[in-house]
């Protein structure tokens, strides 16, 4: 069984105000061409098809066109919803679409009901685990607690129970949208931390021959059987060094996996430049970046005049301008952004408490209250999307 694993299309998303719809259309052209060129048997899309719960109409039209083209190719497609998608909206007409070979899995109740496909070696069961918001599915799954590990464990118990009742030798492929321990995040994924814990252990997926993950935007293999495809396009400058690909995965009759990366089209390379403005404008080594999308961090001790306009004369596609003046590390004038770099919401809140108290941070009770508050806000946002 030859599978093409992709995820995190984020249709409708822009990049620093640059409309990416044409680039996303080019990627989907490439996906369909790859399906035909490499004799793909099934396409796997592991969530975050759209960038937001109510996507703009051009993004919906692009998705509709993609569905028609995949159906016309005669190759089955299995898709799940991600944390950016509205599962209810995405799942509308799923039963009808399934007749065309497009299998949308957006309802948590269906995690133990696979899409069954067959090759010369027998059946392959594809189980779709859409993004599972713990607070919304815990009771339904009878999970031990409202955490990602608990609900994914409960979902995988349903998968394994169904698989045990199938013909011996049936191979198992799981699609999931989650943050699995060992994965390398970037700046462009929405935080799904629950109770201060974001990642779930890879052992949750024991028993699957292949796990097609979505959520993290960098293509990566956690094990030979557990992989993130990553996003097909860069959605933040933190992805400047990413190689954007899909996984072409061969699953043999014994469940062994062989995988290779298929490169995605690059609309324009990304570059992160850092230095004094005059140096950036004069450095001949930067000529290769003159047609790139640019994030420039200026280190001038004093902010220069009209820096964006001056940069654009050499780098016409400069999109982001940051300032990090050359100062001593203990300089109290260091930027607020620098002080918060790599700190999550919980840490920032605890730092604020310590600041207003003159150095005394929150105690355990207050820290737990902050955690509950952040979780409540996240769950409220998820419920609003479901209700919408």
């Amino acid at each position: 069984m030859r599978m093409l694993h992709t995820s995190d299309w984020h249709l409708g998303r822009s990049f620093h105000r640059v409309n990416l719809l044409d680039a996303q259309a080019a990627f989907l052209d490439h996906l369909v061409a790859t399906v035909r060129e490499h004799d793909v048997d099934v396409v796997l899309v592991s969530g975050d098809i759209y960038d937001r719960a109510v996507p703009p109409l051009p993004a919906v039209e692009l998705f509709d066109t993609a569905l028609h083209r995949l159906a016309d190719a005669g190759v089955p497609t299995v898709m799940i919803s991600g944390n950016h998608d509205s599962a209810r909206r995405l799942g509308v007409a799923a039963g009808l679409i399934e007749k065309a070979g497009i299998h949308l899995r957006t309802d948590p109740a269906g995690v133990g009901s696979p899409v069954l496909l067959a090759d010369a070696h027998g059946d392959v069961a594809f189980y779709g685990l859409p993004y599972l918001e713990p607070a919304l599915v815990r009771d339904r799954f009878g999970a031990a607690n409202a955490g990602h590990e608990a609900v994914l464990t409960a979902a995988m118990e349903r998968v394994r129970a169904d698989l045990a009742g199938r013909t011996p030798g049936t191979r198992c492929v799981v699609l999931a949208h989650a943050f699995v321990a060992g994965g390398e995040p970037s700046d462009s994924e929405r935080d799904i931390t629950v109770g201060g814990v974001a990642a779930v252990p890879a052992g949750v997926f024991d028993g699957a021959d292949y796990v097609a993950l979505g959520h993290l935007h960098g293509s990566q293999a956690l094990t030979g059987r557990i992989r993130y495809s990553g996003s097909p396009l860069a959605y933040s400058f933190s992805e400047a060094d990413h190689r954007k690909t899909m996984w072409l995965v061969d699953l043999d009759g014994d469940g062994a996996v062989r995988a290779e990366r298929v490169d995605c089209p690059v609309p324009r390379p990304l570059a992160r430049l850092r230095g004094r403005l005059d140096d950036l404008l004069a450095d001949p080594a930067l000529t290769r970046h003159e047609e790139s999308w640019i994030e420039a961090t200026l280190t001038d001790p004093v902010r220069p005049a009209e820096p964006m306009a001056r940069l654009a004369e050499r780098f016409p596609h400069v999109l982001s301008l940051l300032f990090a003046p050359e100062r001593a590390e203990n300089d109290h004038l260091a930027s607020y952004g620098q002080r918060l770099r790599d700190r999550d919401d919980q840490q920032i809140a605890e730092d604020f408490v310590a600041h207003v108290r003159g150095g005394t941070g929150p105690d355990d009770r207050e820290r737990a209250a902050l955690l509950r508050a952040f979780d409540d806000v996240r769950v409220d946002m998820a419920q609003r999307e479901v209700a919408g």
Side-chain angles (χ1 to χ4, degrees):
M1 182 76 70
R2 173 162 285 185
M3 306 175 288
L4 186 63
H5 168 199
T6 177
S7 73
D8 295 272
W9 295 355
H10 288 278
L11 300 181
R13 188 164 184 162
S14 60
F15 183 75
H16 290 268
R17 303 177 305 281
V18 175
N19 189 316
L20 291 178
L21 206 64
D22 287 345
Q24 291 171 335
F27 158 69
L28 292 173
D29 289 343
H30 172 68
L31 184 149
V32 174
T34 300
V35 166
R36 297 182 184 278
E37 178 183 351
H38 292 277
D39 296 321
V40 170
D41 297 307
V42 56
V43 176
L44 311 178
V45 188
S46 299
D48 281 356
I49 292 164
Y50 291 122
D51 188 56
R52 54 183 185 267
V54 184
L57 182 58
V60 177
E61 292 173 339
L62 183 57
F63 179 57
D64 179 65
T65 300
L67 293 185
H68 279 85
R69 295 180 68 187
L70 288 169
D72 289 344
V75 176
T77 299
V78 184
M79 297 179 163
I80 62 173
S81 50
N83 61 300
H84 278 249
D85 299 308
S86 167
R88 287 182 62 187
R89 288 188 176 88
L90 188 62
V92 169
L96 182 61
I97 294 171
E98 191 157 9
K99 297 180 185 298
I102 307 294
H103 306 275
L104 278 166
R105 293 295 185 262
T106 63
D107 186 350
V111 296
S113 301
V115 176
L116 282 178
L117 301 175
D119 61 11
H121 304 287
D123 287 342
V124 181
F126 293 85
Y127 295 91
L129 278 57
Y131 172 67
L132 302 173
E133 173 54 54
L136 301 183
V137 301
R138 171 191 177 180
D139 292 341
R140 188 187 309 184
F141 280 6
N145 57 65
H148 285 297
E149 181 177 354
V151 297
L152 279 169
T153 296
M156 283 301 299
E157 287 173 355
R158 295 189 179 194
V159 167
R160 284 186 281 266
D162 180 85
L163 187 64
R166 298 198 174 273
T167 304
T170 299
R171 288 153 290 164
C172 171
V173 175
V174 172
L175 291 78
H177 196 88
F179 187 179
V180 179
E184 181 66 33
S186 59
D187 291 344
S188 55
E189 301 111 6
R190 182 185 295 170
D191 183 24
I192 58 171
T193 299
V194 175
V197 179
V200 300
V204 164
F205 299 103
D206 285 351
D209 293 299
Y210 184 73
V211 181
L213 292 174
H215 179 56
L216 299 185
H217 289 180
S219 178
Q220 51 199 295
L222 306 186
T223 72
R225 297 182 180 275
I226 303 177
R227 298 171 186 265
Y228 281 101
S229 68
S231 60
L233 299 172
Y235 292 118
S236 75
F237 278 103
S238 67
E239 301 167 59
D241 295 329
H242 285 190
R243 175 187 167 198
K244 295 300 184 181
T245 63
M246 300 177 284
W247 285 109
L248 190 64
V249 182
D250 287 317
L251 182 68
D252 73 12
D254 297 321
V257 169
R258 185 177 70 253
E260 63 178 287
R261 295 171 73 177
V262 178
D263 288 293
C264 296
V266 178
R268 192 177 296 278
L270 273 58
R272 306 179 94 172
L273 308 183
R274 184 183 183 91
R276 297 191 177 202
L277 178 57
D278 288 342
D279 293 338
L280 297 182
L281 296 177
D283 188 351
L286 301 182
T287 300
R288 61 193 177 97
H289 296 309
E290 290 179 352
E291 293 304 315
S292 300
W293 279 324
I294 298 292
E295 177 191 79
T297 300
L298 300 185
T299 60
D300 302 70
V302 177
R303 183 173 301 205
E306 299 183 338
M308 196 67 162
R310 293 170 64 189
L311 279 167
E313 291 179 2
R314 182 178 187 188
F315 306 104
H317 304 288
V318 60
L319 298 179
S320 177
L321 182 60
L322 306 174
F323 294 93
E326 295 168 345
R327 295 191 177 109
E329 288 187 8
N330 61 354
D331 190 334
H332 72 281
L333 294 177
S335 76
Y336 183 70
Q338 287 174 289
R339 296 199 302 272
L340 299 186
R341 187 174 297 161
D342 300 325
R343 304 185 71 76
D344 61 29
D345 290 340
Q346 177 76 14
Q347 292 169 321
I348 293 168
E350 291 182 15
D351 287 350
F352 177 75
V353 172
H355 172 72
V356 298
R357 285 181 174 171
T360 303
D363 59 25
D364 290 343
R365 179 181 60 82
E366 292 167 331
R367 188 173 292 108
L370 285 170
L371 274 173
R372 288 194 301 271
F374 284 120
D375 285 348
D376 287 347
V377 169
R378 192 201 67 260
V379 170
D380 180 66
M381 292 174 63
Q383 289 174 327
R384 288 172 184 269
E385 290 188 358
V386 170

